[in-house]
Structure formats: structure tokens, C-alpha cells
Amino acid sequence: MTYLQITLFIAEGNRAKAAEVYEQYKEPFLRTIQGARSKELLVRQEDVQVLHGFDSQECAKAYLQSALFTQDVVNALSPLFEKEPNIAIYECVAK
């Protein structure tokens, strides 16, 4: 399992709009993106995180280049950003 974590810096007053974008694109993400397994919205006082689960690191990287991400999600969220998001990819390692 691979996780793509996107940390968004969005003012508290705009978080409801960010949650609407999350809801709007969750189903298309799960239905159309190769290797997509899960998508969760995590809200903290200091930021908002979207945690995406994938079958592989390659699938996570491909999503970041997809039209759904670059054209739809980014365009919908970018007016809400206080600063650039932080993007990280993590792989689970089983022992």
C-alpha cells in the first residue's frame, strides 16, 4: 500500500468549500484512477490533509499527473490556498 498525503493550508472560513471539493471528486477518484484504493479528508486546526491510498507508488505519481488532479482538483482548490500545498508519498513496509 502507498499513501499520497497532500497537506493544504486553507483558512478556517474556507474549509467548508474545500470539503465540498473533496466530496465532489472522491467518487471520480476512486472510480477512474488506476490503483486508487481510498481517499480520506483529515482536518486539523493548522491545516487540512487529504490522504489517498494506492496500490503502488507508480499509481500515486500517475494521479499527480492526471487531468482529474491537475485540471479539476487543483483548479477548484487553488483559490482557497493560503500557501502552496505540501505533497508527500509514503510506502507501507510489512515485516
Side-chain angles (χ1 to χ4, degrees):
M1 184 84 166
T2 298
Y3 291 97
L4 166 64
Q5 178 188 44
I6 302 176
T7 303
L8 307 170
F9 303 97
I10 298 175
E12 191 172 334
N14 288 328
R15 291 186 179 180
K17 292 177 186 174
E20 289 173 13
V21 173
Y22 166 82
E23 288 296 331
Q24 179 180 358
Y25 292 109
K26 181 178 181 177
E27 170 60 29
F29 167 79
L30 293 171
R31 186 173 31 83
T32 65
I33 298 300
Q34 182 178 352
R37 297 177 85 186
S38 64
K39 185 173 181 179
E40 303 297 331
L41 181 66
L42 309 171
V43 179
R44 303 186 311 164
Q45 186 173 356
E46 59 271 18
D47 58 39
V48 175
Q49 297 180 9
V50 184
L51 189 62
H52 307 75
F54 291 92
D55 290 338
S56 69
Q57 190 174 68
E58 292 76 23
C59 291
K61 289 178 180 179
Y63 170 62
L64 291 173
Q65 303 302 315
S66 73
L68 179 66
F69 181 73
T70 62
Q71 295 173 16
D72 298 331
V73 175
V74 171
N75 284 339
L77 286 174
S78 60
L80 306 176
F81 294 162
E82 291 187 319
K83 63 181 179 179
E84 288 297 309
N86 182 17
I87 297 174
I89 297 176
Y90 301 92
E91 285 196 64
C92 292
V93 179
K95 291 186 176 187

